[in-house]
Amino acid sequence: ALSSAASDVYKRQVLGICYSTLVWAQSVEQIKADRSTYLWGEGKGNTLKKADSEALSDLINQITTTIESDFTLLQEEKSESEYKETVKSVIRTYSNATLTNTERIVIENEPDARVFRYMKRSEIDKIFKARKNKILEYLANAETAEEHLQIADALRYYYWSQTLLRSHPEGATIRYRDKDGEERLAATWIPLKINTLFSHLNITVSRVVPEGNFQTVELTILYNQQPVRNFDYTYWDGRDWSNIVSAKDGRGIAELPALADATHLRVKGEYIFDGEATVDAELKDVINRLDVVPFRSCYIEAYPTQQTSMVGQETVVTGSEEQSQPQAERVASFFKSVSDSERYLPVVKKVEKAIRERNYEGLQSCFTPEGYSMFNRLIRYGRARIVGTPDYRLVKCDDGIFCRSLPLSFHFENNNRTFVEDVVFDFSKDAKIQGLSFGLSQAALADIVSKTGWSERSRMILIRFLENYKTAYALKRLDYIESIFAEDALIIVGTVLKKQTVTERQVTINRPYIRFTRQTKEQYIKRLRSTFASNEFINLRFADNVIRKSADKGEIYGVQIRQDYFSSNYGDSGYLFLMVDLNNPDKPIIHVRAWQPEKDPDFGLIDLPSFTF
């Protein structure tokens, strides 16, 4: 039995619940009755989650009925019987993000849950605004990538924008202002740009190297007669299409059976990039729900430029002219060769010979213990093959000697991707290899080399740091990564949302509209350890360097980079920012690491002026 006081409390609670339910019931009935103002859905289930899912599904059906006639791009693709279901499926791609912001009323709680979802008809346009903004941003990214000869990135962003355009009710009328200020109808302009990109590509067979039961075909890949910064492709090996190959600085490879005709190769340019789309749940959902748009222009025939002749057991292309490479010339003039090359080149050539023959016996004497450990990791990183004929250049930086570079391709048994990287050798004073790194692209190097207002030493130190940073992730050098992050490093992942100033360990973010997730160094390293353990490989690709130097703190840099991240079970693209202290080049210290999946419409990108220290 309840005491008198407890009984009064109980009665008030019951009456409160009944009153609240009555108010909501009145509200729900009023919304249902006003169909000219509201769209709504109702769901039941033994849990709130299930009931809410049903309510959203019911709401989606109403939205679909209201706007299905607007999806004119899909009408052109689908038969009348397929069209309505396709539109309903496309509308569901919005439910993960935008539709969860509709109003929700819990009519009854678990275990007999009832949920009511509703929105004003006038709010429908807002559902699609964010997707339109993303379409326009992807188009801007595509134009920038094309301008920088990042053809893989340009194709990816053009196709992704086209995919999202097909999922937008205003897709047939959305216009985009291009970099020349011309207004373009996106629905017709995007396919034109994709076809134009493919038509301006020229792929030639530059060399064929027999290796037992197969042969390695080396390719030269140009866009408007200039080496591409990146380009992803597959090729026909006589039985099937190959895994994806990521070309770099105009160099690509193919591996064919020994009896195949290696002087004629059919190449298929990658443009869908559905693996990389996992970074954006909405985009991935749309790609999975819509049919792929075929582009016949993606098939490119690769031949020798003129005539081939046999040299020993190797087929080489003759009569081809060297392409003008102003970036390469600028970089080459910066990396001045040292005079005592006879101490170092024999060591590098011995390593080259060992890789070609896959015989590493007696090679340990060429390395310091740490260098040999890195070399073993490099060989295990992927099935390494030498691409082309290395053009070695020995370069001095402070007291160190570096050899640039040995081009290698890496293939992974359990993944569908092949990478091309330039391996740079770091020599000790006694002419032993003490470190290895993956070189930056020619364009990335040229970006840094062009900073003529900085000393030659500063530029060289910065190049060394970025190459070591990139390689540390590929070779899973967790100890090195841990050593270069300051104990109080600020590690940020996120975007910008609302105005606030946050001070964290003596670093103040003074930009407005920042929303981010902060991690400690310990949390970041713990997560990275798990990532390394669960991936066969990791590869970072840098583009669009924007580097600023502190005006009064010596060798402190803000490095802003467009980063493509590939691993055996995940891929993404975004903007990486590092604030790094290189005053002691042998002990770089990262104070801030920030990553954004895309530019914020109000804020842009996190950069050096975002911080005071």
Side-chain angles (χ1 to χ4, degrees):
L2 295 173
S3 67
S4 177
S7 178
D8 289 342
V9 171
Y10 176 74
K11 288 177 183 177
R12 286 197 299 271
Q13 289 174 339
V14 171
L15 288 173
I17 292 170
C18 292
Y19 176 75
S20 177
T21 302
L22 181 62
V23 170
W24 283 125
Q26 289 175 337
S27 178
V28 167
E29 292 308 316
Q30 289 169 354
I31 291 168
K32 286 183 176 181
D34 192 357
R35 288 187 174 274
S36 62
T37 304
Y38 294 102
L39 295 169
W40 53 267
E42 192 170 357
K44 299 179 181 180
N46 54 8
T47 65
L48 281 173
K49 183 177 180 181
K50 185 174 181 180
D52 190 44
S53 178
E54 282 195 10
L56 277 173
S57 180
D58 195 17
L59 177 58
I60 287 168
N61 288 337
Q62 288 201 34
I63 295 173
T64 302
T65 302
T66 303
I67 64 170
E68 65 181 1
S69 61
D70 296 336
F71 284 84
T72 52
L73 289 182
L74 290 179
Q75 276 182 323
E76 295 171 4
E77 296 179 21
K78 299 292 180 180
S79 65
E80 188 174 343
S81 60
E82 295 175 314
Y83 172 70
K84 187 171 290 188
E85 282 304 311
T86 303
V87 170
K88 186 185 294 185
S89 178
V90 163
I91 293 295
R92 290 181 186 276
T93 66
Y94 292 85
S95 64
N96 290 333
T98 314
L99 290 184
T100 55
N101 293 327
T102 59
E103 297 295 331
R104 184 176 96 159
I105 298 174
V106 177
I107 300 173
E108 292 184 25
N109 219 320
E110 299 172 351
D112 299 312
R114 286 177 61 203
V115 172
F116 185 77
R117 284 272 188 175
Y118 69 98
M119 63 180 293
K120 287 187 175 181
R121 289 179 181 270
S122 59
E123 296 290 301
I124 288 180
D125 289 345
K126 293 182 181 179
I127 294 177
F128 306 105
K129 184 178 179 181
R131 187 160 294 184
K132 180 180 178 179
N133 289 340
K134 187 174 292 185
I135 291 166
L136 299 178
E137 182 178 350
Y138 279 165
L139 289 175
N141 288 343
E143 280 201 289
T144 300
E146 180 184 359
E147 188 178 3
H148 294 165
L149 301 177
Q150 298 159 215
I151 306 306
D153 300 331
L155 287 167
R156 174 176 55 181
Y157 286 122
Y158 278 128
Y159 185 77
W160 285 359
S161 62
Q162 183 184 33
T163 300
L164 294 180
L165 195 73
R166 293 160 65 205
S167 74
H168 198 289
E170 299 172 4
T173 59
I174 289 176
R175 305 185 77 85
Y176 169 73
R177 189 176 297 277
D178 68 15
K179 60 183 176 60
D180 296 323
E182 295 288 332
E183 263 209 356
R184 306 289 186 175
L185 187 63
T188 55
W189 187 65
I190 296 171
L192 175 65
K193 291 297 294 183
I194 291 174
N195 283 317
T196 300
L197 280 168
F198 282 126
S199 69
H200 289 177
L201 281 165
N202 180 33
I203 305 177
T204 56
V205 176
S206 54
R207 193 166 77 144
V208 182
V209 183
E211 298 186 52
N213 294 325
F214 64 93
Q215 49 190 329
T216 299
V217 181
E218 296 171 5
L219 302 172
T220 298
I221 306 173
L222 306 177
Y223 181 75
N224 284 338
Q225 301 307 308
Q226 294 190 63
V228 296
R229 286 179 70 170
N230 58 42
F231 176 63
D232 285 10
Y233 63 93
T234 59
Y235 57 87
W236 183 256
D237 65 6
R239 295 167 297 182
D240 199 357
W241 290 99
S242 72
N243 293 333
I244 294 174
V245 181
S246 293
K248 175 187 175 185
D249 290 335
R251 293 194 310 254
I253 65 160
E255 292 181 358
L256 300 177
L259 299 178
D261 178 10
T263 60
H264 171 211
L265 192 68
R266 196 177 193 208
V267 174
K268 179 182 178 183
E270 171 67 13
Y271 61 91
I272 301 171
F273 293 93
D274 54 342
E276 285 83 344
T278 54
V279 67
D280 186 326
E282 263 190 34
L283 172 66
K284 183 67 174 177
D285 202 8
V286 176
I287 287 176
N288 288 340
R289 291 173 188 267
L290 293 180
D291 295 334
V292 170
V293 177
F295 284 90
R296 296 185 183 278
S297 56
C298 75
Y299 297 96
I300 303 168
E301 304 295 323
Y303 295 96
T305 50
Q306 291 186 18
Q307 186 178 1
T308 62
S309 62
M310 295 299 294
V311 180
Q313 291 187 328
E314 189 174 293
T315 305
V316 296
V317 179
T318 60
S320 60
E321 295 182 2
E322 289 292 322
Q323 298 294 331
S324 173
Q325 299 185 34
Q327 286 182 338
E329 292 169 4
R330 191 188 314 158
V331 172
S333 65
F334 177 77
F335 289 126
K336 301 179 180 66
S337 296
V338 299
S339 57
D340 53 346
S341 59
E342 65 279 357
R343 288 192 66 205
Y344 306 98
L345 278 183
V347 178
V348 176
K349 289 181 177 180
K350 185 175 180 179
V351 173
E352 177 191 339
K353 184 173 184 290
I355 295 173
R356 288 190 188 278
E357 298 176 355
R358 289 178 174 74
N359 180 4
Y360 307 110
E361 187 176 347
L363 201 61
Q364 191 167 356
S365 61
C366 297
F367 296 85
T368 65
E370 183 179 0
Y372 192 62
S373 174
M374 289 183 66
F375 178 75
N376 282 328
R377 290 188 187 189
L378 179 77
I379 296 304
R380 290 197 304 268
Y381 177 61
R383 193 175 63 189
R385 296 189 184 280
I386 295 173
V387 180
T389 303
D391 180 19
Y392 296 121
R393 183 176 290 266
L394 289 159
V395 181
K396 186 177 178 63
C397 179
D398 288 346
D399 295 330
I401 298 292
F402 301 87
C403 181
R404 308 180 66 91
S405 56
L406 178 64
L408 294 177
S409 70
F410 298 94
H411 171 70
F412 304 91
E413 295 297 332
N414 300 316
N415 198 268
N416 66 343
R417 187 173 289 277
T418 297
F419 297 97
V420 176
E421 295 285 1
D422 293 292
V423 177
V424 179
F425 299 92
D426 177 4
F427 280 98
S428 65
K429 291 181 180 179
D430 55 355
K432 291 182 182 290
I433 298 170
Q434 62 182 1
L436 302 158
S437 61
F438 290 163
L440 298 176
S441 68
Q442 285 290 330
L445 289 171
D447 286 344
I448 298 172
V449 167
S450 65
K451 306 287 186 183
T452 53
W454 302 348
S455 71
E456 185 175 304
R457 178 178 181 271
S458 294
R459 287 177 281 169
M460 191 74 77
I461 288 169
L462 188 57
I463 290 168
R464 283 181 58 195
F465 166 74
L466 289 174
E467 292 181 339
N468 284 330
Y469 180 88
K470 170 185 174 179
T471 311
Y473 285 81
L475 301 187
K476 302 179 183 179
R477 298 182 63 202
L478 194 64
D479 289 347
Y480 172 80
I481 296 171
E482 192 168 6
S483 74
I484 63 176
F485 275 90
E487 291 303 317
D488 61 351
L490 176 59
I491 298 168
I492 306 170
V493 178
T495 55
V496 176
L497 188 65
K498 62 183 180 178
K499 187 172 182 177
Q500 56 182 314
T501 300
V502 178
T503 301
E504 177 75 12
R505 297 185 184 86
Q506 299 180 346
V507 180
T508 302
I509 303 171
N510 50 30
R511 290 280 195 178
Y513 311 121
I514 297 179
R515 182 189 74 184
F516 55 87
T517 301
R518 288 169 289 173
Q519 294 180 349
T520 64
K521 175 182 175 179
E522 182 180 2
Q523 290 170 328
Y524 178 70
I525 295 298
K526 182 179 180 180
R527 184 177 178 183
L528 201 57
R529 181 178 286 108
S530 174
T531 300
F532 285 171
S534 61
N535 281 279
E536 180 188 11
F537 76 91
I538 293 173
N539 189 274
L540 305 183
R541 188 166 66 191
F542 292 159
D544 298 343
N545 304 336
V546 177
I547 302 172
R548 305 180 196 277
K549 188 177 180 183
S550 169
D552 57 356
K553 301 291 182 179
E555 302 295 318
I556 289 183
Y557 295 87
V559 182
Q560 192 184 90
I561 296 176
R562 177 82 194 177
Q563 174 185 282
D564 291 331
Y565 176 102
F566 301 98
S567 71
S568 50
N569 61 23
Y570 177 73
D572 67 34
S573 296
Y575 296 91
L576 175 71
F577 171 78
L578 300 172
M579 188 171 82
V580 57
D581 183 346
L582 297 177
N583 281 294
N584 182 349
D586 294 326
K587 293 183 179 180
I589 298 295
I590 296 173
H591 292 287
V592 180
R593 180 193 185 274
W595 187 85
Q596 294 173 253
E598 57 192 36
K599 295 179 182 178
D600 184 88
D602 299 315
F603 164 98
L605 294 175
I606 295 173
D607 201 353
L608 191 62
S610 303
F611 302 92
T612 56
F613 48 91

